[in-house]
Structure formats: structure tokens, C-alpha cells
Amino acid sequence: MRPAALPEQLRIACAQCNLVELCLPVGLPANDLKKLDTLVSVRKRVKRHQALFESQAPFEALYAVRLGSFKTVLTLTDGREQVTGFQMTGELLGLDGIGSGRHAVTAIALEDSEVCVIEYAQLEALAQEIPALMTQFHKVLSREIVREQGVMTLLGSMRAEERLAAFLLNLSQRFATRGFSPNQFRLRMTREEIGSYLGLKLETVSRTLSAFQEAGYLRVDRREIALLNREGLRQLLYPERTDPANATAP
Amino acid sequence: MRPAALPEQLRIACAQCNLVELCLPVGLPANDLKKLDTLVSVRKRVKRHQALFESQAPFEALYAVRLGSFKTVLTLTDGREQVTGFQMTGELLGLDGIGSGRHAVTAIALEDSEVCVIEYAQLEALAQEIPALMTQFHKVLSREIVREQGVMTLLGSMRAEERLAAFLLNLSQRFATRGFSPNQFRLRMTREEIGSYLGLKLETVSRTLSAFQEAGYLRVDRREIALLNREGLRQLLYPERTDPANATAP
DNA sequence: GCCGCTCATTGAGGTGCGTCAAAGACAGTC
DNA sequence: GACTGTCTTTGACGCACCTCAATGAGCGGC
């Protein structure tokens, strides 16, 4: 992803990092904000395909994506992999390690990336000191829980078409939040990674994208996506319901 | 579930509730423990099939299951439902509401149940006061994230047999933790609810259970389950791997 | 006691997606 | 510029699970 095309408002709030989730809504006084800036002052670069942290490794820090993007992967004993999420600018990585002191997933950079290192011990200490930060952190954790519930629903009760439509609309919205066009963007991940995330095989992802293009919902050229009919995609997810009052008329 | 057959240790730590997750590992001094007891002093009864809270309702409190069990359900606009979890004694409900101030899921009692009401504002205040409580709460939230990642893996890359085996072994372990037999227990939920949780249809759940019985892994009589060969079930999940060193020999 | 309801089991047949296979397109490397 | 490896597309076929359907078992109500 190109360097911060963030709205002015966000850039001020997150001068040092792109830690949108933690900084933005807190509205801290200058003094506390300075402490927060210190908290996220350490940077780390991660090259494409390199691991930021590995599953089972001791948990010591959270990471805020400053530049670039990541995937988190859970690997089964027999080698099968499940992508549990994609993280882009301003999103947090490492929340899975808090509970057990070890990371549950492996985080891998999808492109050359840069993160802010947030020492967890420091975050805990600061959260103790700044109530608003603690509250905000709880919200971040809870939202991750809700996001995953959404994915569970996707995996458990949606068809391939619906899964992919939901995925594309979600990506679109996240790009928009970051000041990019919601209708034209470049996928950072392969078909296989998308498939793993959505519980599909790469061939099915490819075929479904082709079908969407066929239907005029979008244009797809390798990783480049242009959404032509977002409403159409939304209707796949939230189908027109015939009014039950009419349907049940005698 | 019958009243607390919890180990002595737990019963002391959680005299007022069965709030294992929050109380147990904290090891609080008597003074703080008293405050915690106050926090969870309000009870609420919920009858079978009744909702403890509904999706979209304002979020005000967490709930610790004191007696009985619940399911959490996410409903799509077209009526399809996804069960996102089952909660038994000592587990927390309502974490999904923190992020947005509204509940994301509906919680429904699987049997006549009783919960401790934990006013969230009070919890936040107390967490600010007692660092160990805050730390522990973060762990609880993180573990829920990791649990859901496990379910995502289940839904995304496992076959029906594996999903059900994982589910049964997980239940078994949770019963064991609570002082019940890990090999003999009664399901609190219907085949349909299990299926919804595992992304399967009720017929598939029923058939797979029958197949497990046929294979000698367990006996099943309505809701009653007797595990006869847990190792066998585990092998379904973690298959014997031929040593790659041997397999790749020239 | 009988009745009505919910829940579970089992079978037969259909299908959405996985599997296997082949070929093409691009990016990086020397 | 040719080469090599990674990624993508597309087709043909098969299977795991879904769908539809019928039967039966338990359980509360009157």
C-alpha cells in the first residue's frame, strides 16, 4: 500500500504510527497522547513473505501495521493451513498471543511492510494509567471477536458466491476507510490465500471471480479489481425478501 | 448441569459465581476478592429456550454462566442462523457487545439456567483499580479470539468427521474441567444446533454420529454420549504422519 | 391412557465444490 | 531476451455433503 493517504484527521491523531484503531477514537489530551506516541515509537520492517511472528513463539508485543499488509495463518498438524485474517494499514496484529503467552497464529507479510512494535507490558501499564486507552483496547479486542463471528457465519452457512461477495465488499470498505477508491483496488493476496480464508479452493475463487465478471459485477485483471456493480454484490448477500405478509395471504 | 461439582479450589475462588475464567487465575488478596464478589452479586434466571440478550440490543453487562448452558446465535437477514458458540458453567457471555455497544449475537438458554450479571461499567472501573483483573480480562478476550480461530479452521478446512470429532473432544474436555466424567455426558443441544455450529446439516451430524458408533468410537443414545475410544477420535484429527525423512528417501 | 409435538434416524437421489490436469500469463533473474 | 518459477484460468469428472422424504422414539399435556 502507498504511504499514508489517510484523511488529515487521522494523520494528526496517529502521527507516529497508523494505529487507527487505538488512537483515533480515544481523543486523548496532549500529555497522554505523547505517552502513546512513545509506546509505538519502535518500528520494524518485514520483507514480503517473511514472518513477523511465528505460531508458538513467545508473545511479547502487538504490532500495528504502518505500511503494507499481512495475513495470519493457523497451521494444522497435518500441514493444512487456514488463513484467519488479512491485516492492512492501521490494523493490529498479535492479539492471539495475549491469552496464552504464545502466538496462536503465524503472521506473514504479503508485501514489503513496516509495523510499529507495541511492547505488551508497556501497553498494559499505560492502559492501567489511562482509562480511555483501556476502554478502547477492550473495544478493539471485542471487535476482533465479532469479526471472527462474521467469518464463522460465512464459512458455516454461505455459498462460494456469497463468501466472495462478502470478502470483496469488506475489502472495498476497508480501502475506502483508508482514503483509497472503494471501487478500484489491487488484491495483496493470491487466489489460494483468499480461498484459504474463505474455506474454498483456489480454482473455485478463480471461477467465481470469472462468473462475477461475466455477470457484470466487476472487472478482474490478475490482482486488479474494479467493482462495477456493488449493489449487485450486496444483493447476493442480502437477497430481496418477498414480504412475508404478502406471501402468506390466503 | 447439576450444581457445582467444581474442585474445592475453584469453589473457594468463585464462591459467589462460577466465574472460573476471571476469578481463578487472578489470585487476588482478600480485599480485592470482596470487590469482585460484589461485582458478580446480581443473579438472573433464564428459562429453557429463552433469550438472555438479543442481537442488536444495547450492551450493558456481561454474564457468567452459573448454572445451565447457552448457545450464541448470529442470524442473517434471510433468516439463516449460525451458532457461534456454546457456553457452559463458568464461561462468559456478552463479549461481542463491548466493541459497538450493541450485542452482535443472541444468547439463548439450552436449559433452565442462571447467570451472574456483571455490569460492564463496574467491571471497567474495577479493572482500572485492580491491574491483575485487567490483565486477566485481556486474557479472556484473547482466548475467545483464539477459540474462534480454531472454529474457523474447523469450518474452513476440515471434513464432517473431523469437525464432529473435534467438537466431541472439546466438549469432553470441558466437562472434565468441571469435575464431570470426560467419557460420559449428555449433550445440551440438538443435532441441528451442533450442525449449525459445525457448518453441517442435522442429517450429516446424525449420520456421522452413527458412523462413529459403528466404528466403535462411542455409543450414542439420543443426547447421551459415551466415548469408548478417545484416542481413535484424536487420530481422526491428528492423523499419523509418515516420517517425511523416510517418505522422501531416493 | 391417548395425542401432538419436537427431535432423531435412515434412505435415495442431486449438486456445489473439490480434485486432477493442462496450458497460458506475468515477474524476476541471469 | 530467454528462462524459470509462481500464479491464474479453464475444463472434465467425482464425491462429500445437502435435499427431500418417510418413519420412529421420546415426552409433556389433558
Side-chain angles (χ1 to χ4, degrees):
Chain A
M1 184 179 303
R2 277 152 288 160
L6 289 171
E8 185 68 15
Q9 183 193 15
L10 294 201
R11 245 182 295 142
I12 292 169
C14 309
Q16 295 242 9
C17 64
N18 281 321
L19 190 44
V20 180
E21 282 192 304
L22 271 185
C23 308
L24 173 66
V26 168
L28 293 173
N31 187 31
D32 285 347
L33 195 54
K34 195 176 163 194
K35 289 179 190 165
L36 202 57
D37 276 352
T38 308
L39 182 69
V40 298
S41 62
V42 180
R43 309 285 167 73
K44 185 171 175 182
R45 287 168 188 280
V46 190
K47 287 219 163 295
R48 184 163 182 246
H49 294 166
Q50 219 183 9
L52 173 59
F53 54 80
E54 300 263 6
S55 170
Q56 306 304 325
F59 163 73
E60 274 150 14
L62 300 178
Y63 304 92
V65 181
R66 223 180 89 81
L67 219 64
S69 49
F70 289 80
K71 66 172 174 179
T72 46
V73 181
L74 206 158
T75 307
L76 299 184
T77 51
D78 63 356
R80 277 178 293 184
E81 291 191 347
Q82 172 75 25
V83 171
T84 59
F86 298 109
Q87 294 78 26
M88 41 202 279
T89 311
E91 293 176 333
L92 270 181
L93 276 160
L95 297 175
D96 56 283
I98 300 171
S100 65
R102 296 194 168 271
H103 284 289
V105 297
T106 298
I108 293 178
L110 295 175
E111 55 196 313
D112 292 356
S113 300
E114 191 176 333
V115 297
C116 295
V117 180
I118 306 172
E119 290 298 328
Y120 186 63
Q122 286 180 35
L123 174 62
E124 285 272 291
L126 204 54
Q128 200 68 50
E129 200 178 321
I130 308 175
L133 177 61
M134 185 188 75
T135 300
Q136 189 58 22
F137 186 49
H138 292 170
K139 287 187 182 178
V140 169
L141 285 158
S142 171
R143 285 195 201 114
E144 177 64 8
I145 290 173
V146 172
R147 179 192 72 81
E148 290 185 356
Q149 285 173 346
V151 177
M152 285 170 62
T153 302
L154 210 115
L155 294 172
S157 49
M158 289 187 174
R159 292 172 308 106
E161 248 183 12
E162 300 175 292
R163 296 185 201 189
L164 202 57
F167 175 70
L168 291 171
L169 290 171
N170 175 264
L171 270 192
S172 165
Q173 196 224 313
R174 284 155 80 192
F175 277 115
T177 301
R178 283 156 183 78
F180 298 102
S181 163
N183 294 322
Q184 189 125 10
F185 48 86
R186 181 179 159 70
L187 299 173
R188 301 313 201 272
M189 64 294 280
T190 67
R191 303 287 189 265
E192 187 170 22
E193 287 162 339
I194 297 173
S196 173
Y197 182 60
L198 298 177
L200 301 170
K201 290 296 161 183
L202 69 98
E203 294 94 332
T204 303
V205 173
S206 179
R207 267 187 259 270
T208 307
L209 279 176
S210 297
F212 281 171
Q213 178 163 256
E214 194 67 23
Y217 291 140
L218 49 77
R219 265 184 304 109
V220 49
D221 175 25
R222 303 270 300 168
R223 304 265 180 111
E224 217 64 48
I225 300 282
L227 299 185
L228 303 177
N229 180 3
R230 300 167 50 122
E231 192 49 39
L233 288 175
R234 285 201 50 246
Q235 301 256 338
L236 279 179
L237 279 173
Y238 310 110
E240 305 293 357
R241 283 165 295 171
T242 50
D243 189 337
N246 290 339
T248 56
Chain B
M1 186 181 302
R2 278 151 286 161
L6 291 171
E8 185 69 15
Q9 184 195 15
L10 295 201
R11 243 180 297 140
I12 292 169
C14 311
Q16 295 241 9
C17 64
N18 281 320
L19 190 44
V20 180
E21 282 193 306
L22 271 185
C23 307
L24 173 66
V26 168
L28 293 173
N31 186 30
D32 286 347
L33 195 54
K34 196 175 162 194
K35 289 179 190 166
L36 201 57
D37 276 351
T38 308
L39 184 69
V40 297
S41 62
V42 180
R43 308 286 167 72
K44 185 171 175 181
R45 287 168 189 279
V46 189
K47 287 218 164 296
R48 184 164 181 248
H49 293 167
Q50 222 182 6
L52 172 59
F53 54 79
E54 300 262 6
S55 170
Q56 304 305 326
F59 164 73
E60 274 150 12
L62 300 177
Y63 305 92
V65 180
R66 223 180 88 82
L67 220 64
S69 49
F70 290 80
K71 65 171 174 180
T72 46
V73 181
L74 206 159
T75 306
L76 299 184
T77 50
D78 63 354
R80 278 179 293 182
E81 290 190 347
Q82 172 77 25
V83 170
T84 59
F86 297 109
Q87 294 77 25
M88 42 202 279
T89 312
E91 293 176 333
L92 270 182
L93 277 160
L95 297 176
D96 56 284
I98 299 171
S100 65
R102 296 194 169 271
H103 284 288
V105 297
T106 299
I108 292 178
L110 296 174
E111 56 196 313
D112 291 356
S113 300
E114 192 176 334
V115 297
C116 295
V117 180
I118 305 173
E119 291 297 329
Y120 186 62
Q122 286 180 35
L123 175 60
E124 285 271 292
L126 204 55
Q128 200 67 51
E129 200 178 321
I130 308 175
L133 178 61
M134 186 189 75
T135 299
Q136 189 58 25
F137 185 49
H138 293 168
K139 287 187 181 177
V140 169
L141 285 158
S142 171
R143 284 194 201 114
E144 177 64 9
I145 289 173
V146 172
R147 180 192 72 80
E148 290 185 356
Q149 286 173 346
V151 177
M152 285 170 62
T153 301
L154 209 115
L155 293 172
S157 50
M158 289 187 176
R159 293 173 308 107
E161 248 183 12
E162 300 174 291
R163 296 185 200 188
L164 203 57
F167 176 70
L168 291 171
L169 289 171
N170 175 265
L171 270 193
S172 165
Q173 197 224 313
R174 282 154 81 190
F175 277 114
T177 302
R178 284 155 182 77
F180 298 102
S181 163
N183 294 322
Q184 190 125 10
F185 50 86
R186 180 178 160 69
L187 300 173
R188 302 312 202 270
M189 64 295 281
T190 68
R191 302 287 189 266
E192 187 170 20
E193 287 162 338
I194 296 173
S196 173
Y197 182 60
L198 298 177
L200 302 170
K201 291 295 161 185
L202 69 99
E203 294 95 331
T204 303
V205 173
S206 180
R207 267 187 258 269
T208 307
L209 279 176
S210 297
F212 281 171
Q213 178 164 256
E214 193 67 23
Y217 290 140
L218 49 76
R219 267 183 304 107
V220 50
D221 175 25
R222 300 275 296 172
R223 305 265 182 112
E224 217 65 46
I225 301 283
L227 299 184
L228 303 177
N229 180 4
R230 300 166 49 119
E231 191 49 35
L233 287 176
R234 285 201 50 248
Q235 301 257 338
L236 279 179
L237 279 172
Y238 310 110
E240 304 292 357
R241 281 166 297 171
T242 50
D243 189 336
N246 290 338
T248 57

